[in-house]
Amino acid sequence: MHCKISIFDNDLLLTGANLNSEYFATRQDRYIYISKCDKLCEWYHGLLDRLCSLSFRVRAISEPPTKPDVDKQPLQSPKDSVQLVPGSVDPVKTPRKFRKIARKLISEYINNPQSDRDEHPGTSDTTVYPLVQIGPLGIREEERWLRGYLQDSETRNELWMTTGYFNISDEVRRGLVASQRPVNVLTASPIANGFYKSKGFSKFIPGLYRYLEERFYQQTQACKRITLSEYFRSSQDGKPWTYHAKGIWVFNRHSAMTVVGSSNFGLRSTGRDVEAQAIIVTRSQALRSALQNEVDALWKYSQKVNSKTFQDQYQMRSPLGWLLVRLCAKTKFLASMF
């Protein structure tokens, strides 16, 4: 589960951020707030209801049971704090049956023509199209849309794309190269990665993303239309911000399009996680300007990558770390975990 959706009455907040104090202080992310969008809120509420029905319930160790359908025995350990929703299938004991039921439940909902998930919130000049990506269930709306959009030879407007965790698939890379449009890609520098200076194996994760970034740079260097940049920003106390934003923007003279939500557009997002995105298309000049300002604000703290970037910054000095990074990057199964 990786999607982030917040609903307040008839207002909707789409973001890639988690509810963590760091996100409100020194962690860069994106937030788009849509007000008075009844149908859209109803649709996302229905999606969340179905995802919750496929999930475990959580309660504190000391919390007494309050519902008749919950076991009345007191919880004895942390593993007892999660319980299946009554009547649901155990994904651990019967994974195939669970996937079959889950796929049917979610697919029938998102493909229901009566669900009316496209909405024009408040005006007729802006439309929101929700997307759902759940790779393990074979639900790949975001993947299909992105493939088709990049293959559209008639659309050559400049594209801006960002992700905090750079691990895009070869298919997306080939699509960016073949799209015949200027492409700007922004990702976190190793110092802006949330795992920078962490402990255990996770301390090698920034190096893994840097290695994948370098490989992308080498594979696309001949394509002069693609510009790769890294985000780095210092706070007032000198500590670096971390970078977690993700999204796509395309602008033309009279309209704009953005993709906002939880997906990092990487192998993990497409193949393992539950992701919720939205495509927003607008002819509103005010919203178009706000989206352009968002792009400018993100790229303000960026530096373009060149060959020296991978020589002078964040060297992987540990032989063990370098071996683990290369192993993870070159093994599709392991790479899909990041």
Side-chain angles (χ1 to χ4, degrees):
M1 174 66 75
H2 193 246
C3 60
K4 289 91 172 173
I5 303 166
S6 298
I7 301 171
F8 312 91
D9 297 326
N10 292 323
D11 299 344
L12 176 69
L13 179 65
L14 295 174
T15 181
N18 298 307
L19 296 178
N20 182 295
S21 59
E22 184 183 6
Y23 288 83
F24 304 104
T26 58
R27 193 165 177 83
Q28 179 66 60
D29 216 304
R30 296 183 68 203
Y31 306 83
I32 291 187
Y33 183 73
I34 307 173
S35 63
K36 299 178 182 179
C37 53
D38 303 25
K39 291 182 181 178
L40 208 55
C41 287
E42 289 177 7
W43 190 86
Y44 275 109
H45 182 266
L47 176 65
L48 290 174
D49 268 350
R50 285 157 179 80
L51 291 175
C52 286
S53 73
L54 299 169
S55 305
F56 289 95
R57 287 183 177 176
V58 180
R59 61 190 176 102
I61 297 287
S62 59
E63 178 186 343
T66 58
K67 295 183 179 181
D69 56 0
V70 177
D71 183 9
K72 296 184 181 299
Q73 295 298 320
L75 300 174
Q76 301 297 329
S77 67
K79 70 177 182 179
D80 297 324
S81 64
V82 293
Q83 296 174 325
L84 283 171
V85 174
S88 62
V89 178
D90 193 325
V92 178
K93 295 180 179 179
T94 54
R96 291 185 179 179
K97 185 178 180 180
F98 173 82
R99 283 195 296 269
K100 181 179 179 180
I101 292 174
R103 175 182 170 82
K104 183 175 185 294
L105 180 67
I106 302 299
S107 296
E108 287 183 350
Y109 181 70
I110 64 178
N111 294 324
N112 182 359
Q114 296 180 349
S115 65
D116 192 20
R117 58 169 153 167
D118 303 344
E119 179 156 350
H120 310 266
T123 70
S124 60
D125 58 17
T126 302
T127 306
V128 181
Y129 304 90
L131 294 175
V132 177
Q133 177 83 15
I134 312 178
L137 302 183
I139 298 172
R140 299 180 176 273
E141 291 188 331
E142 174 203 301
E143 205 172 344
R144 290 198 302 270
W145 171 82
L146 185 56
R147 184 190 307 122
Y149 190 80
L150 293 177
Q151 290 175 351
D152 184 357
S153 59
E154 297 182 1
T155 305
R156 298 192 179 185
N157 299 98
E158 188 169 11
L159 182 144
W160 305 77
M161 180 180 189
T162 187
T163 173
Y165 301 116
F166 192 83
N167 188 17
I168 63 173
S169 66
D170 289 339
E171 183 180 31
V172 172
R173 175 185 55 80
R174 289 192 295 266
L176 293 173
V177 171
S179 65
Q180 299 301 312
R181 70 172 80 224
V183 175
N184 304 279
V185 179
L186 176 62
T187 189
S189 69
I191 297 174
N193 188 290
F195 294 97
Y196 181 64
K197 288 189 175 180
S198 61
K199 297 181 179 180
F201 173 79
S202 62
K203 68 183 178 184
F204 299 123
I205 292 178
L208 169 62
Y209 287 117
R210 167 54 73 83
Y211 177 80
L212 295 169
E213 178 190 341
E214 180 180 9
R215 190 169 68 178
F216 175 84
Y217 175 79
Q218 292 171 346
Q219 292 169 337
T220 60
Q221 193 173 10
C223 183
K224 303 301 182 182
R225 293 176 293 96
I226 298 179
T227 302
L228 178 62
S229 302
E230 287 186 346
Y231 181 96
F232 176 78
R233 178 182 180 183
S234 294
S235 61
Q236 292 182 349
D237 61 3
K239 294 181 179 179
W241 281 49
T242 53
Y243 190 74
H244 198 252
K246 62 270 293 184
I248 294 174
W249 301 258
V250 177
F251 302 92
N252 61 33
R253 184 177 301 178
H254 302 294
S255 64
M257 182 275 290
T258 188
V259 180
V260 61
S262 60
S263 175
N264 284 296
F265 311 111
L267 294 179
R268 183 182 179 96
S269 291
T270 56
R272 289 184 177 272
D273 285 337
V274 178
E275 306 283 10
Q277 299 276 82
I279 305 170
I280 301 176
V281 181
T282 184
R283 297 191 304 276
S284 164
Q285 289 304 302
L287 180 53
R288 184 192 181 283
S289 295
L291 292 172
Q292 183 64 67
N293 290 339
E294 181 185 32
V295 169
D296 294 342
L298 293 175
W299 264 260
K300 175 183 177 180
Y301 298 99
S302 70
Q303 292 183 341
K304 290 184 180 180
V305 167
N306 55 45
S307 57
K308 293 183 179 180
T309 301
F310 307 106
Q311 300 172 4
D312 301 337
Q313 300 179 23
Y314 199 76
Q315 296 286 344
M316 179 60 71
R317 296 183 176 88
S318 165
L320 174 60
W322 180 244
L323 177 63
L324 290 173
V325 163
R326 290 180 65 87
L327 178 64
C328 290
K330 292 181 177 296
T331 307
K332 189 173 182 179
F333 173 76
L334 294 177
S336 69
M337 295 182 179
F338 297 93

